[in-house]
Amino acid sequence: MALARREGMRAGDRLIEQRLADALDLSRAPIRLGLKALEAAGLARGEPHRGFVLAKNPTSGAAQPALAAVRRNEQVYATIAGDVLASRLPADITEAELMRRYGLSRAELQRLLDRIAAEGWIARLPGYGWRFAETISSPEAQAQAKAFRAVIEPAAIAQPGFALPQEVIVRLRERQQRVFEGELERMTIGEIFHSGCEFHEEIIRGAGNPFFLEALKRVNSIRRLFAYRSFADRDGMRRHVREHLRLLDVLETRRYTEAAELMAKHLQRPLVAGLS
């Protein structure tokens, strides 16, 4: 439902399994389970020859319990991320300690740990408990991730044969425009981060080189942890989105040299003054 809200979907729009799987980086099996859960909650319905469609607008009152669950999950995730960044958690920790500290059920904690482990900043210990990665939240790791992106993303745009289809530019512009015109205030920090990653990953895809895309996805999964500090600044995010829209204007006219230069400046500019 959070994805449907980001996409500007309305009641009656199709919920296409493969598109959802691609957007959420999942296989189709859990997507089907999710669609059935939405149907049971009255938020989706199956239609002959169309599959599942939205039964309620994602901005309606009926969708709020589902979106509230997303917000709670993001709030706990952000709290854990903040505690790791501030060194308020030991490097090694047990599930019982995490459940007690954050008021989570075992199922809620397991979902969070699965997500954090997939992002690469926690790992299960061989015997008992979990260990947070030491380097992921360090200032050096943040600077390295930023420097890496400032190299590969402009380079991707400068590749011979780079091309961004018009329909991709239109879709990205519509999404960024919705964010800029007010959607930003209703998005969780996690949704804002996902929106930014999606924007940059779609652009780097234009190079037609899967190594660029896979490298960016990897660094995005790692930088999620420390990105939460800067993504909480909505004014900084509005400036960031304005730069996204400017970049799309340049890409649309195929001024790729200028676009690569704009991308480099965009990535080198901090979201928050004084914070790299």
Side-chain angles (χ1 to χ4, degrees), residues 86-252:
S87 300
R88 289 190 289 264
L89 288 173
D92 294 353
I93 197 164
T94 66
E95 292 185 11
E97 289 175 287
L98 289 168
M99 289 166 60
R100 183 170 56 252
R101 184 181 182 104
Y102 299 105
L104 299 170
S105 68
R106 188 167 295 279
E108 289 173 329
L109 177 63
Q110 194 57 58
R111 283 193 294 270
L112 274 171
L113 289 174
D114 287 346
R115 172 182 172 182
I116 294 170
E119 292 170 2
W121 50 282
I122 200 171
R124 188 184 291 276
L125 291 171
Y128 184 69
W130 295 78
R131 174 170 293 165
F132 289 104
E134 294 181 9
T135 59
I136 294 301
S137 61
S138 69
E140 292 79 9
Q142 297 180 41
Q144 288 165 356
K146 183 177 178 180
F148 182 70
R149 291 183 66 208
V151 170
I152 66 165
E153 294 193 52
I157 296 173
Q159 290 294 297
F162 178 90
L164 209 57
Q166 181 63 25
E167 60 269 22
V168 172
I169 292 175
V170 170
R171 185 173 73 249
L172 291 176
R173 182 181 284 118
E174 288 175 350
R175 292 176 184 173
Q176 294 295 302
Q177 200 68 47
R178 283 199 304 272
V179 171
F180 187 74
E181 291 175 354
E183 184 67 21
L184 181 65
E185 304 305 324
R186 297 186 291 273
M187 296 168 74
T188 66
I189 295 176
E191 288 177 302
I192 294 170
F193 179 79
H194 179 88
S195 175
C197 289
E198 179 185 56
F199 178 87
H200 286 271
E201 288 168 11
E202 284 287 351
I203 289 176
I204 209 169
R205 197 187 299 271
N209 184 330
F211 291 100
F212 277 118
L213 180 59
E214 289 305 315
L216 181 58
K217 284 186 172 183
R218 174 60 179 159
V219 78
N220 277 342
S221 70
I222 292 172
R223 76 185 183 90
R224 179 188 294 268
L225 174 62
F226 47 79
Y228 267 62
R229 290 189 302 174
S230 53
F231 276 65
D233 175 37
R234 303 301 166 114
D235 288 338
M237 278 309 306
R238 271 186 285 273
R239 291 192 298 272
H240 220 56
V241 172
R242 191 182 297 115
E243 291 178 7
H244 284 178
L245 291 167
R246 169 62 181 156
L247 183 59
L248 288 173
D249 290 341
V250 176
L251 286 168
E252 188 170 34

Side-chain angles (χ1 to χ4, degrees), residues 1 11 15 34-46 53-57 60 62-63:
M1 293 305 294
L15 295 164
L35 291 171
K36 289 176 181 177
L38 287 180
E39 184 178 39
L43 297 173
R45 66 175 181 272
V53 301
L54 270 180
K56 303 287 184 182
N57 288 336
S60 69

Side-chain angles (χ1 to χ4, degrees), residues 66-78:
L67 294 173
V70 173
R71 285 191 292 271
R72 168 167 165 70
N73 183 68
E74 288 296 332
Q75 286 166 356
V76 176
Y77 177 100

